[in-house]
Amino acid sequence: MELDSLYQEVILDHYRKPAHKALQPNPTNQVHHINPACGDEVTLNLHMDGQKIVDVSWDGVGCSISQASTSIMTDLMIGKDVDSAMKVLNEFTELMQSKGSLKGDEEILDDAVALAGVSKFPARIKCALLGWMAFKDAVSQSQSGN
Amino acid sequence: MELDSLYQEVILDHYRKPAHKALQPNPTNQVHHINPACGDEVTLNLHMDGQKIVDVSWDGVGCSISQASTSIMTDLMIGKDVDSAMKVLNEFTELMQSKGSLKGDEEILDDAVALAGVSKFPARIKCALLGWMAFKDAVSQSQSGN
Amino acid sequence: MFTSPLNGAEIRKDFPIFSKTMRGGGRLVYLDSGATSQKPNSVLDGERYFYENHNAAVHRGSHLLAEEANEAYEGARAIVAHFLGANLDEIIFTKSATEGLNLLAYSFGNSASTSRFALNPGDRIVLSEMEHHANLIPWQQLAKRCGAEIVWFPVDPDGRLDLSAMNDIISERTKIVALTHQSNVLGTINPLDQLISRTHEVGAVFVLDACQSAPHFAIDVKSLGPDFLVFSGHKALGPTGIGVLWGRAELLEEMEPFLTGGSMIESVTMTDATWASAPRKFEAGVPNMAGAVGLGIALQYLLNVGMNNVEAHEHALTQYALTKFADLERVRIIGPTDTKMRGSVLSFEIDGVHPHDAGQVLDQHGIAVRTGHHCAWPLMRKLGIVGTTRASFYIYNDEKDVDALIDGILATQKYFKV
Amino acid sequence: MFTSPLNGAEIRKDFPIFSKTMRGGGRLVYLDSGATSQKPNSVLDGERYFYENHNAAVHRGSHLLAEEANEAYEGARAIVAHFLGANLDEIIFTKSATEGLNLLAYSFGNSASTSRFALNPGDRIVLSEMEHHANLIPWQQLAKRCGAEIVWFPVDPDGRLDLSAMNDIISERTKIVALTHQSNVLGTINPLDQLISRTHEVGAVFVLDACQSAPHFAIDVKSLGPDFLVFSGHKALGPTGIGVLWGRAELLEEMEPFLTGGSMIESVTMTDATWASAPRKFEAGVPNMAGAVGLGIALQYLLNVGMNNVEAHEHALTQYALTKFADLERVRIIGPTDTKMRGSVLSFEIDGVHPHDAGQVLDQHGIAVRTGHHCAWPLMRKLGIVGTTRASFYIYNDEKDVDALIDGILATQKYFKV
Ligand SMILES: Cc1ncc(COP(=O)(O)O)c(C=O)c1O
Ligand SMILES: Cc1ncc(COP(=O)(O)O)c(C=O)c1O
């Protein structure tokens, strides 16, 4: 069923047990993002050490896709430096815009390839990107020093 | 030709030689009306003696229909008392709204029956009514004392 | 048991979209008429006929096409007037209910400070917690520009307006009361009589958002008694891009224009202009002529069906759905659970399933519902939820659509193992 | 002699209205495209296809129809962006050019006093004597609200802007310059280069009314250089009720919204709201989706014909008409009499015949022209006339239409014995 390409088991797992979903104190940067179309929200704390992403934690409300995607993203990003994090992020954004034509590189995206199916459901792409865009925003704030 | 029902000879005569088209001084009431759709304008001077319409004179710019209709109207109204003037006016308004179904009572409307054809051209009805509405306005002002 | 004067399946034959095949391979179960309605063939034919036979700019030409276009456009206005029990010159075509509400807010804001519509610091605009953003933000913005205050009726846990403090909320300082007739989230129909009489008692004007009512039951503005009313054509079987603002003639006469430009003037110089009378004063520019014509045909379609039949049909569907929902487990209706003073908009929550996910599974079964905050974010906050899943019914629905929805909900629960 | 890359008679086959029989029993000679254009079958088919297959509220639903509606609507935006050489997010759908200009005027008026768009007492808005009421009255009203001043370029006896005092008229006090690209009365095309550079020199914004240009020749906003541009879909083969506002991304970003309501927000409470980014910020409410889709198809039709061909065709028609008019007696062209910097709008006066009467006789011959002040009343006053008779050409016209017009004018003179 088409639906199963959207809701792969790994997504439902992340949805039921989201990783790093508890805001850690004293972040380098904190951002709050909203998806105005559906009301989903995410607050994200970023801890940096130089160019290294030491920790990403978050809280928020949203559908399985946005929750799972944010959870997967934190797992992927923690421990990376900014440059490689941005590479992963770009890879993921491209996957989301692929309208089902890409499968995603598991080497780079790990669990996030499970979200490939989202790209066939235009209305859900914003859900999948919510946490990632919040992360991008936090990193860019950390780089420009605010 | 359909056009001839609109432009009867008597209309073109009035257009070429409009009656009472020269504002007489010291009117009881003066009004200025505009047809915003086409820019036609009429200024009308009304001279009353009690309930009697002593004189109606006017100036303005407009198409043959508006000019002829105003000219015919002045011929009709001068010398009447307010009540019979309003009867003529109502008769004429009804004729204009008749969509070609009425011919007009020549006893009452005299030359104005030549305008019967206008009622088949919705865009021209306002032209034919411009002077008449100005007259109605002037009379009603004279009655309410402003 | 389901009985209704209308046969939804028969009515669907007039609506070409219902021959579409949906994602799951099945038929379209359209339960999103609260967002926008589908269009019957007669509306699509009528729009096309206008373009193929009478297309010209209204109010601006004297050639044959222009005369015919004018007749078609003004004919549509006459149908709208008849539909609402209003006078011809009280009907203003807008692009949407949203524009109609903004028109009022901007026009009031443009008023001279001595006008009855002027808002001065300390003056109040009364709204409610169940308003759609379209009947909320324009008033917020107006209030900010004028230094006025927004006050509002709270919504109680049953999804009804709490009117216990009505006389304090609508007070001598109130200039405008703007409320929805029926909530687009809860289905609640508000008790207008007391609200309108209180509004008039304090000398304020009453603005009715009839987006979710005018398409669904008969409205007679003269007996209902508001001062202004708006609705959107696209929710009433009409085309997109056309809406209606009705206002009392004597109020429209006093009001300042909103959009300015061609066809709404009496006279113009380089520095100044004077206005035509209503409705022209409020219809600047070449209007959505085909849209108006289509809306006229749509409302005529509804009148032919009979607004009382429309109401009875939706009532029957709602009754049927509420009974079925009562048997579902871990599914909660958001809004009144009986049909008293309630329309056919049905919001619900499925425990453990986010509305967006529920909507996705239903979509896979060909069922179109809306999910999210429904442009009523303050209401969501008040109810402590992020959003709902909403089914809304119209004339082309029938009890099989309700059955499909119920099955879809069960399938959703199964899919997400909740 | 008439040569053109396009064959009007062939093109007419795409436009169903041309099979209509007119008052006099003959064919339709449509010379009123300056008021509104006729629509090709592809536009009518496309609108209908949208309703029959994808109709749902955009930006608000996640079901299949809503996804498809969204794709269709945003696809139309992409075509408009391509048509103007603009970025996707710079295209705002309005209901008309009139709304677009009012949007700008109200948005500027809503700006904080520190904003670059704010008008303060003594600030100036620069217009011209040839503006359509739609590009005049909104600015008058804005000026009145803000205590700003309206100043303007006069029109010289040839129907050209008198730019001799340009640097005084566009001065350091100028905040906004709003001009038409092509006069809808005179056909004059204004020399934008110098006007736009002077505008930017003084730090003002340049608003271009492209109603009579965008449908008729290629425009690339990036190389042309204005800050904002509006046009109406219905004059560009598109449906009624849809228009376009283009604005530079960085300016749209800074601007306040105009209409407020659903789909233009980021977040909402009972007393406050924040905005989405452009274009959403400026598109409150359920938009005219079918209208946008139809406009996209219309512009694609024009692109397929080729805007350079459209321009060459109209140029040829104008050239041909001007030559023919030169042979007429007691007929005077109002506007430039050569084709240099002039479009295909042709106003004229027949000695001794009021425009309304001329239009009537032409109508009897199946010729649709517009008569009157053309929503440019100040220009009429300046030229000392009550109105003109106006013929305006488009792709579906050919030299036979011009011949018909000439014959019609001769018939008019004969009928009125002038
Ligand atoms: C130059 C010009 N500007 C503005 C407008 C207004 O366009 P609309 O009435 O479609 O808003 C028109 C057409 O009427 C026009 O010709
Ligand atoms: C109650 C209510 N008010 C206002 C609106 C706004 O209508 P539109 O978006 O058609 O302007 C809607 C629909 O979205 C609604 O349901």
Side-chain angles (χ1 to χ4, degrees):
Chain A
M1 171 152 93
E2 216 174 338
L3 216 49
D4 295 338
S5 74
L6 185 62
Y7 296 113
Q8 299 201 17
E9 206 47 55
V10 45
I11 292 181
L12 297 178
D13 287 348
H14 272 277
Y15 177 44
R16 290 193 194 104
K17 293 195 208 67
H20 308 285
K21 191 175 176 182
L23 290 171
Q24 297 307 310
N26 308 320
T28 324
N29 295 84
Q30 182 176 73
V31 297
H32 180 73
H33 275 217
I34 302 179
N35 181 345
C38 61
D40 286 359
E41 305 189 31
V42 65
T43 305
L44 184 142
N45 281 4
L46 175 71
H47 290 75
M48 300 289 293
D49 182 2
Q51 286 298 95
K52 197 176 162 94
I53 294 150
V54 180
D55 190 45
V56 187
S57 61
W58 62 288
D59 198 7
V61 289
C63 63
S64 60
I65 303 294
S66 79
Q67 300 286 296
S69 186
T70 305
S71 168
I72 292 169
M73 182 272 299
T74 55
D75 271 352
L76 268 169
M77 296 307 188
I78 293 170
K80 290 213 164 47
D81 62 24
V82 168
D83 278 356
S84 37
M86 286 305 123
K87 275 195 197 104
V88 177
L89 194 142
N90 290 337
E91 186 82 13
F92 184 71
T93 318
E94 217 176 275
L95 179 62
M96 287 301 103
Q97 283 153 3
S98 72
K99 302 192 174 177
S101 70
L102 297 181
K103 295 195 150 169
D105 184 341
E106 203 166 342
E107 294 281 291
I108 304 176
L109 291 178
D110 203 357
D111 274 4
V113 297
L115 290 154
V118 173
S119 70
K120 285 183 284 179
F121 296 84
R124 306 307 294 270
I125 297 170
K126 282 212 167 155
C127 310
L129 286 175
L130 181 65
W132 295 69
M133 290 301 113
F135 172 73
K136 187 180 181 182
D137 188 13
V139 170
S140 111
Q141 287 185 22
S142 80
Q143 298 298 295
S144 65
N146 22 313
Chain B
M1 171 153 93
E2 216 173 339
L3 216 50
D4 296 337
S5 74
L6 185 63
Y7 295 113
Q8 298 201 16
E9 207 46 55
V10 45
I11 293 180
L12 297 178
D13 287 347
H14 271 278
Y15 177 43
R16 291 194 192 102
K17 293 195 207 68
H20 308 286
K21 192 175 175 182
L23 290 170
Q24 298 307 310
N26 307 318
T28 323
N29 294 85
Q30 183 176 72
V31 296
H32 180 73
H33 275 217
I34 303 180
N35 181 343
C38 62
D40 287 359
E41 305 188 29
V42 65
T43 306
L44 185 144
N45 280 3
L46 174 71
H47 290 77
M48 301 289 292
D49 182 3
Q51 286 298 93
K52 194 175 165 90
I53 293 149
V54 179
D55 191 44
V56 188
S57 60
W58 62 288
D59 198 9
V61 288
C63 63
S64 59
I65 304 296
S66 78
Q67 299 286 295
S69 184
T70 306
S71 170
I72 292 169
M73 180 273 297
T74 55
D75 271 352
L76 268 168
M77 295 306 188
I78 293 171
K80 291 214 163 46
D81 62 23
V82 169
D83 278 357
S84 36
M86 286 305 123
K87 274 194 198 106
V88 177
L89 193 142
N90 289 338
E91 185 81 13
F92 184 71
T93 319
E94 218 176 275
L95 179 63
M96 287 301 101
Q97 285 155 359
S98 73
K99 301 192 172 175
S101 70
L102 298 181
K103 296 197 150 169
D105 185 339
E106 203 166 343
E107 293 280 292
I108 304 175
L109 292 177
D110 202 359
D111 273 5
V113 296
L115 289 155
V118 173
S119 70
K120 285 182 287 181
F121 296 84
R124 306 307 295 271
I125 296 170
K126 281 212 169 154
C127 310
L129 286 175
L130 181 64
W132 296 70
M133 290 301 114
F135 172 74
K136 187 179 180 181
D137 190 13
V139 169
S140 110
Q141 287 187 21
S142 80
Q143 299 298 296
S144 66
N146 20 314
Chain C
M1 251 295 295
F2 175 81
T3 49
S4 158
L6 302 181
N7 181 332
E10 274 305 308
I11 288 177
R12 282 203 290 277
K13 293 181 183 161
D14 291 343
F15 291 73
I17 203 167
F18 288 107
S19 42
K20 187 179 172 97
T21 303
M22 299 303 289
R23 212 165 231 152
R27 73 172 180 98
L28 167 61
V29 177
Y30 189 73
L31 301 179
D32 198 16
S33 297
T36 199
S37 69
Q38 298 304 337
K39 325 300 174 197
N41 271 315
S42 58
V43 168
L44 306 182
D45 291 344
E47 272 208 276
R48 185 160 197 141
Y49 190 84
F50 173 83
Y51 284 126
E52 294 188 345
N53 294 277
H54 311 307
N55 180 61
V58 292
H59 307 320
R60 295 195 185 177
S62 54
H63 54 76
L64 179 67
L65 295 179
E67 279 175 12
E68 291 175 350
N70 219 52
E71 207 169 312
Y73 183 67
E74 295 305 326
R77 196 192 305 281
I79 298 172
V80 178
H82 173 60
F83 185 79
L84 293 176
N87 299 335
L88 198 56
D89 288 348
E90 296 178 328
I91 301 299
I92 295 155
F93 284 118
T94 60
K95 73 172 177 180
S96 60
T98 299
E99 189 195 358
L101 293 162
N102 278 274
L103 185 162
L104 292 173
Y106 275 109
S107 170
F108 295 166
N110 288 342
S111 303
S113 60
T114 51
S115 148
R116 64 184 291 169
F117 302 116
L119 285 151
N120 296 305
D123 284 346
R124 284 179 167 186
I125 302 170
V126 174
L127 308 171
S128 89
E129 269 176 354
M130 63 166 76
E131 296 313 313
H132 188 280
H133 294 163
N135 195 31
L136 170 59
I137 313 180
W139 304 117
Q140 290 177 354
Q141 294 299 107
L142 173 63
K144 275 188 219 291
R145 284 195 291 273
C146 304
E149 261 176 66
I150 301 285
V151 295
W152 59 88
F153 287 104
V155 169
D156 72 20
D158 294 340
R160 302 278 179 190
L161 287 191
D162 175 355
L163 297 182
S164 57
M166 181 175 82
N167 289 353
D168 295 331
I169 291 174
I170 303 178
S171 73
E172 301 297 328
R173 292 162 62 191
T174 301
K175 282 303 205 40
I176 299 162
V177 177
L179 292 173
T180 191
H181 200 168
Q182 176 180 315
S183 162
N184 67 314
V185 179
L186 307 164
T188 312
I189 295 174
N190 289 320
L192 296 184
D193 281 1
Q194 44 184 314
L195 287 159
I196 292 177
S197 36
R198 175 61 185 164
T199 300
H200 288 157
E201 197 174 288
V202 301
V205 294
F206 192 96
V207 177
L208 186 65
D209 176 353
C211 278
Q212 300 290 343
S213 57
H216 299 286
F217 48 84
I219 287 185
D220 179 88
V221 287
K222 295 287 149 69
S223 58
L224 195 61
D227 299 297
F228 301 96
L229 173 152
V230 300
F231 73 97
S232 276
H234 69 90
K235 294 189 207 262
L237 310 185
T240 59
I242 188 82
V244 170
L245 164 65
W246 165 84
R248 279 185 199 287
E250 63 274 22
L251 298 178
L252 295 179
E253 205 49 54
E254 282 180 48
M255 281 166 61
E256 289 296 311
F258 166 47
L259 301 183
T260 57
S263 297
M264 52 74 70
I265 54 97
E266 183 193 54
S267 171
V268 182
T269 67
M270 277 311 291
T271 53
D272 221 336
T274 56
W275 318 129
S277 26
R280 289 285 184 83
K281 176 166 61 173
F282 299 104
E283 291 184 359
V286 173
N288 187 353
M289 300 170 292
V293 167
L295 177 56
I297 297 169
L299 299 185
Q300 193 56 58
Y301 183 101
L302 286 172
L303 290 169
N304 293 351
V305 168
M307 289 309 290
N308 291 339
N309 291 333
V310 173
E311 182 177 6
H313 181 67
E314 294 185 29
H315 187 89
L317 284 170
T318 308
Q319 182 66 269
Y320 183 78
L322 287 171
T323 311
K324 292 268 174 178
F325 265 78
D327 292 339
L328 292 173
E329 279 168 48
R330 295 178 307 283
V331 175
R332 187 167 70 97
I333 298 272
I334 313 288
T337 51
D338 59 40
T339 53
K340 211 173 99 257
M341 291 289 278
R342 163 193 234 304
S344 65
V345 162
L346 212 100
S347 270
F348 58 91
E349 274 198 314
I350 306 173
D351 282 357
V353 185
H354 186 278
H356 221 152
D357 294 316
Q360 196 75 55
V361 182
L362 293 175
D363 182 50
Q364 192 63 33
H365 291 80
I367 303 166
V369 294
R370 192 169 160 201
T371 64
H373 55 60
H374 313 292
C375 299
W377 218 332
L379 178 62
M380 296 298 118
R381 293 220 170 81
K382 171 62 174 264
L383 299 174
I385 55 184
V386 304
T388 76
T389 305
R390 181 188 77 181
S392 48
F393 304 123
Y394 211 4
I395 50 171
Y396 34 63
N397 294 120
D398 58 16
E399 78 277 26
K400 295 214 176 61
D401 293 345
V402 178
D403 293 340
L405 173 64
I406 299 291
D407 290 346
I409 293 171
L410 293 170
T412 304
Q413 290 177 317
K414 193 162 158 227
Y415 192 82
F416 289 109
K417 307 193 177 72
V418 292
Chain D
M1 253 295 292
F2 176 82
T3 50
S4 158
L6 301 182
N7 181 333
E10 273 305 307
I11 289 177
R12 282 202 290 276
K13 293 181 182 160
D14 291 343
F15 292 74
I17 202 168
F18 288 107
S19 42
K20 186 179 171 99
T21 303
M22 300 303 290
R23 211 165 231 150
R27 75 173 179 96
L28 167 61
V29 177
Y30 189 72
L31 300 179
D32 198 16
S33 296
T36 199
S37 68
Q38 297 304 335
K39 326 298 176 199
N41 272 315
S42 58
V43 168
L44 306 183
D45 292 344
E47 273 207 274
R48 186 162 195 139
Y49 190 85
F50 174 84
Y51 284 126
E52 294 188 345
N53 294 278
H54 310 307
N55 180 61
V58 292
H59 307 319
R60 295 195 185 179
S62 55
H63 54 77
L64 178 67
L65 295 179
E67 280 176 11
E68 292 176 348
N70 221 50
E71 208 169 310
Y73 183 67
E74 295 304 327
R77 197 192 306 280
I79 298 173
V80 179
H82 173 59
F83 186 78
L84 293 176
N87 299 334
L88 199 56
D89 287 348
E90 296 178 328
I91 302 299
I92 294 154
F93 285 117
T94 61
K95 73 172 177 179
S96 61
T98 299
E99 189 194 359
L101 293 163
N102 277 275
L103 185 162
L104 292 173
Y106 275 108
S107 169
F108 296 167
N110 287 343
S111 303
S113 60
T114 51
S115 149
R116 62 183 293 166
F117 302 117
L119 285 151
N120 296 306
D123 285 346
R124 285 178 167 186
I125 301 171
V126 174
L127 308 171
S128 89
E129 269 176 355
M130 62 168 75
E131 297 313 313
H132 188 281
H133 294 163
N135 196 31
L136 172 59
I137 313 179
W139 305 116
Q140 289 178 354
Q141 294 299 106
L142 173 63
K144 275 188 220 290
R145 284 195 290 274
C146 303
E149 261 175 63
I150 300 285
V151 294
W152 59 88
F153 287 105
V155 169
D156 73 18
D158 294 340
R160 303 279 178 190
L161 287 190
D162 175 354
L163 298 181
S164 56
M166 182 174 81
N167 289 354
D168 295 332
I169 291 173
I170 303 178
S171 73
E172 300 297 328
R173 293 161 64 192
T174 302
K175 282 303 205 42
I176 300 163
V177 178
L179 293 174
T180 190
H181 201 169
Q182 177 180 315
S183 161
N184 67 314
V185 179
L186 307 164
T188 311
I189 295 174
N190 289 320
L192 296 184
D193 280 1
Q194 44 183 316
L195 287 159
I196 292 176
S197 35
R198 175 61 185 163
T199 300
H200 289 157
E201 199 175 285
V202 302
V205 295
F206 192 96
V207 177
L208 186 64
D209 176 352
C211 279
Q212 300 290 342
S213 57
H216 300 286
F217 48 85
I219 287 184
D220 179 88
V221 288
K222 294 288 148 71
S223 57
L224 195 62
D227 300 296
F228 300 97
L229 174 151
V230 301
F231 73 98
S232 275
H234 69 89
K235 295 190 206 265
L237 310 185
T240 59
I242 189 83
V244 171
L245 164 64
W246 165 84
R248 279 185 197 289
E250 64 274 22
L251 298 178
L252 294 179
E253 207 46 56
E254 283 180 47
M255 282 166 60
E256 290 296 312
F258 166 49
L259 300 183
T260 56
S263 297
M264 53 74 69
I265 54 97
E266 184 193 54
S267 170
V268 183
T269 67
M270 277 311 290
T271 53
D272 222 335
T274 57
W275 318 129
S277 27
R280 288 287 183 82
K281 175 167 61 174
F282 299 105
E283 293 184 357
V286 173
N288 187 352
M289 301 172 290
V293 167
L295 177 57
I297 297 169
L299 298 184
Q300 193 56 59
Y301 183 100
L302 286 172
L303 290 169
N304 294 350
V305 169
M307 289 308 289
N308 292 337
N309 292 333
V310 174
E311 182 178 5
H313 181 67
E314 294 186 28
H315 187 87
L317 285 170
T318 309
Q319 183 66 267
Y320 183 77
L322 287 171
T323 311
K324 291 270 176 180
F325 265 79
D327 293 339
L328 293 172
E329 279 168 48
R330 295 179 305 283
V331 175
R332 188 167 69 98
I333 298 271
I334 312 288
T337 51
D338 59 38
T339 54
K340 215 176 94 253
M341 291 289 277
R342 157 194 238 306
S344 66
V345 162
L346 212 100
S347 270
F348 57 90
E349 273 198 316
I350 306 173
D351 283 357
V353 185
H354 186 279
H356 221 151
D357 294 317
Q360 197 75 55
V361 180
L362 294 174
D363 182 50
Q364 192 64 31
H365 291 79
I367 304 166
V369 294
R370 192 171 159 202
T371 64
H373 55 60
H374 313 293
C375 299
W377 217 331
L379 178 62
M380 297 297 120
R381 292 217 172 83
K382 170 61 173 266
L383 299 173
I385 54 183
V386 302
T388 76
T389 306
R390 183 189 77 182
S392 49
F393 305 123
Y394 211 1
I395 50 170
Y396 35 62
N397 295 119
D398 58 15
E399 76 277 24
K400 294 213 178 62
D401 293 346
V402 177
D403 293 340
L405 174 63
I406 300 291
D407 290 347
I409 292 171
L410 292 170
T412 305
Q413 290 178 317
K414 194 164 157 221
Y415 192 82
F416 288 110
K417 306 192 177 78
V418 292

